[in-house]
Amino acid sequence: MSQAQAVETKSIPHQKQVVGFYQHRLGNVQITALLDGTNYLPPALFKGIPAAEVTQILKKYYADQAKGVQTSVNAFLVNTGSSLVLVDSGAASCFGTHLGSVLSNLKASGYQPEQVDTILLTHLHPDHVCGISQNGVANFPNATVYVSNDEANYWLNPKQVSKLPKDKQAGYLGTVEKIKQAIAPYQAKQRFKTYQLGDQVQGFKVINTAGHTPGHFSYELKTKDETVVFIGDIVHSHTVQFDKPETAIDYDIDLKKAVQTRLKQFKDYAKNGQTIAAPHLPFPGIGHIYSADNQRYQWIPIHFKD
């Protein structure tokens, strides 16, 4: 065999992606975005928009993939200087091995789970709450977990299931079981607490952004230079739902209210320029929302900072 032939047949294995955390400073606050993993959504999950239009939008952004519509699952660790706050926590093992990296990425970023004193949950869907514990043991043993009173009542009130349509009850009960398992270690130590509109938690203002779930809340933190909002699941796609913000997704419990919330919040963020941290926009999920006409929007990711 000639030397040229030997070079041609040599195999160099592809290497795995290693990105897992990204640290971003706002004034005196450091935000560490933590990647839990990447998920793919069937385009049919988007509601109120023709399938052909979904495909057209995805192609425009070079986001049309055979696997489906790519979405990140992100959580955010906020070091205020006096407190270490985790906003959402990822899915742990609730959805399979492609998710569940928040805890390992938190450690890789230079922090330890024992340092986290506060966990703010935007809502109780498993890809936000399951990461707080594993096999009945708290992943963040010194943290107190907060969620809105409305959200806790929706998922933890045993009378709620009878109010749902028959075809929704099994899915609801399956989700409730995952939630209960996740929060149990914190409840046992009286470290699971609820808040209401108007309250503040560790300097974070709570903002009612219901629709995706009945008690969905976002969190606003003002630094000395600017304001950052941890928006939760008011949006799941940086393509479809920015070009067509009136598009709901099947995961929304109240589709109409979820759309109204997104339209209201997008308009505010585009006008006032808050920094946005989003769990389902492309990692690290930190950026700004722009609009020229308050009808169509654009996601502007932050520029890399060393």
Side-chain angles (χ1 to χ4, degrees), residues 75-78 83-90 102-103 106 113 115-124 128-133 138-148 182-183 186 191-195 201-202 204 219:
F76 301 95
L77 189 65
V78 186
S83 187
L84 197 59
V85 180
L86 182 65
V87 183
D88 290 327
S89 68
V102 160
L103 192 61
L106 182 148
Q115 293 176 278
V116 177
D117 55 73
T118 305
I119 300 173
L120 303 179
L121 299 176
T122 56
H123 60 301
L124 290 176
H128 296 258
V129 66
C130 281
I132 66 175
S133 65
N139 284 334
F140 306 95
N142 299 316
T144 299
V145 177
Y146 294 86
V147 71
S148 79
I183 66 176
Y186 298 88
R191 288 181 175 270
F192 180 79
K193 298 185 178 182
T194 62
Y195 58 76
V201 184
Q202 296 284 28
F204 289 74
Y219 299 99

Side-chain angles (χ1 to χ4, degrees), residues 70-99:
Q70 183 176 322
T71 180
S72 292
V73 179
N74 310 316
F76 301 95
L77 189 65
V78 186
N79 184 345
T80 68
S82 59
S83 187
L84 197 59
V85 180
L86 182 65
V87 183
D88 290 327
S89 68
S93 59
C94 280
F95 288 117
T97 56
H98 63 297
L99 299 175

Side-chain angles (χ1 to χ4, degrees), residues 201-265:
V201 184
Q202 296 284 28
F204 289 74
K205 177 184 176 182
V206 301
I207 303 168
N208 189 332
T209 47
H212 178 64
T213 63
H216 185 285
F217 269 69
S218 302
Y219 299 99
E220 179 184 280
L221 180 65
K222 291 186 176 180
T223 74
K224 67 177 185 179
D225 296 321
E226 53 192 292
T227 298
V228 58
V229 186
F230 300 85
I231 64 172
D233 284 13
I234 70 169
V235 63
H236 288 78
S237 168
H238 74 292
T239 58
V240 177
Q241 289 182 306
F242 275 78
D243 270 28
K244 295 284 185 179
E246 64 274 21
T247 303
I249 195 166
D250 194 53
Y251 301 136
D252 295 333
I253 291 175
D254 186 332
L255 273 66
K256 184 178 179 180
K257 193 168 186 179
V259 168
Q260 290 173 342
T261 292
R262 180 166 47 260
L263 292 173
K264 178 178 181 292
Q265 297 306 120

Side-chain angles (χ1 to χ4, degrees), residues 8-29:
E8 286 177 10
T9 57
K10 183 179 178 182
S11 177
I12 301 174
H14 293 182
Q15 299 303 312
K16 291 184 177 180
Q17 186 71 275
V18 182
V19 63
F21 65 90
Y22 177 78
Q23 290 171 328
H24 182 71
R25 184 171 289 277
L26 288 177
N28 57 341
V29 171

